[in-house]
Amino acid sequence: MATNNINHVVITGNLTRDPELRQTSGGKSVCEMRVAVNSSFKQGDKWESKPNYFQVNTWAGLADNCAKYLEKGSGLAVSGRLEWQKWETKEGNINSRVVIVADSVQFLGRPGPKKPDNEALKEEADTPPTLPDAEDDGIPF
């Protein structure tokens, strides 16, 4: 009897630190990111907020792009799978963790190269966009 297993997760959140890009011994890029995802629950008559933190790993070209365009505080949506990792420390202790291995990452907000080019983005973000008048929007209805 065949069983169909599903291992898929989707989260949206913000980076808690800058992405860390490294290369494997085979030259493949891997980018490690820490993402905070807020959940809320009702406690009596008040709504409370609770952060959850997830390790997200991206590979190859996706890793390069995440390292290039994301920084601490960036919003992102991640789609991928959960992977359980286990390793032994130098002291002989066994550690484990569950990470999200991303298949896709959507950058939420305005993407752009990281520092020093962010100064130009900041100046651009400080200037409100000009929107066309409703009659000048070019939509025929």
Side-chain angles (χ1 to χ4, degrees), residues 11-12 37 41 53 63 66 85 87 98 101 123 132:
I11 62 168
T12 61
V37 178
F41 58 93
Y53 301 97
C66 287
Q85 299 175 344
W87 68 97
V98 175
V101 179
E123 290 172 13

Side-chain angles (χ1 to χ4, degrees), residues 31-99:
C31 183
E32 294 182 355
M33 300 179 289
R34 187 90 165 148
V35 180
V37 178
N38 289 323
S39 60
S40 57
F41 58 93
K42 196 164 187 178
Q43 182 81 19
D45 292 340
K46 286 177 68 175
W47 282 95
E48 301 287 335
S49 182
K50 177 185 180 269
N52 296 282
Y53 301 97
F54 298 97
Q55 176 76 34
V56 176
N57 293 345
T58 57
W59 292 87
L62 182 57
D64 295 329
N65 285 334
C66 287
K68 182 176 180 181
Y69 291 106
L70 296 173
E71 60 188 358
K72 180 179 178 178
S74 295
L76 66 159
V78 176
S79 175
R81 63 184 166 83
L82 298 176
E83 181 177 279
W84 183 59
Q85 299 175 344
K86 182 173 125 177
W87 68 97
E88 186 174 340
T89 66
K90 293 176 185 176
E91 296 81 24
N93 298 324
I94 302 296
N95 287 341
S96 65
R97 67 179 177 183
V98 175
V99 301

Side-chain angles (χ1 to χ4, degrees), residues 68-69 112-124:
K68 182 176 180 181
Y69 291 106
K114 289 195 326 184
K115 300 172 186 96
D117 294 337
N118 273 355
E119 290 306 314
L121 289 176
K122 182 181 181 296
E123 290 172 13
E124 187 177 318

